[in-house]
Amino acid sequence: MKKILISIVLILFATSFLWSESMIKLKKKDYRIVDSQDNYSVVGIEIINKKILSRLISEKNYIIVFSIDSDVFKAKDQTVLQASVPDNCDYIFFTDENGNIFIMDNKIKLYKIHDE
């Protein structure tokens, strides 16, 4: 019985590890919106918090959570050549084929996914 329980715990741990995405939550003090177009369909965000910036650069496969006014949004990564958009998110940000985020001068661009 003990071996079965250990096996179940190991399987659950491995499954959650493989399928989980980390979440990077941006607080208002961590960033500022430096550019927005067409009612926030494209948002330029400058990352002010150096720890958050370091995480964005070093980690891969994460969700960015941020807010505009009082609304909370989620953004997921999207490789430039990928045809479909990820599920369960409001915005996408682009990465290269290795999962590295495109960031320039501490700024990232987020592109709103329009529901049709």
Side-chain angles (χ1 to χ4, degrees):
M1 181 68 154
K2 187 176 178 181
K3 287 182 181 182
I4 293 172
L5 287 175
I6 291 172
S7 297
I8 291 171
V9 168
L10 288 175
I11 290 170
L12 289 174
F13 175 77
T15 303
S16 66
F17 178 76
L18 290 173
W19 295 105
S20 69
E21 293 177 299
S22 63
M23 191 171 293
I24 298 177
K25 294 180 182 178
L26 301 180
K27 297 177 184 169
K28 288 285 188 184
K29 64 182 181 177
D30 296 331
Y31 69 99
R32 69 175 155 246
I33 296 176
V34 293
D35 181 31
S36 66
Q37 300 170 12
D38 300 326
N39 198 26
Y40 296 108
S41 63
V42 178
V43 179
I45 293 181
E46 180 179 11
I47 306 301
I48 300 166
N49 183 320
K50 298 297 180 193
K51 288 182 181 179
I52 297 289
L53 181 62
S54 177
R55 283 188 67 196
L56 289 170
I57 292 169
S58 64
E59 294 181 22
K60 294 178 181 154
N61 195 29
Y62 49 78
I63 297 170
I64 298 173
V65 178
F66 67 102
S67 62
I68 299 174
D69 300 324
S70 60
D71 296 322
V72 177
F73 299 99
K74 294 188 294 184
K76 288 187 179 182
D77 62 323
Q78 173 87 15
T79 60
V80 175
L81 300 176
Q82 193 172 355
S84 63
V85 295
D87 292 331
N88 301 321
C89 68
D90 307 294
Y91 286 83
I92 59 171
F93 55 91
F94 289 111
T95 61
D96 65 14
E97 61 275 358
N98 296 319
N100 300 307
I101 189 170
F102 289 122
I103 191 162
M104 186 175 246
D105 297 326
N106 301 350
K107 297 176 187 136
I108 57 175
K109 287 273 189 183
L110 305 174
Y111 299 87
K112 188 167 186 139
I113 297 172
H114 297 282
D115 296 330
E116 309 251 348

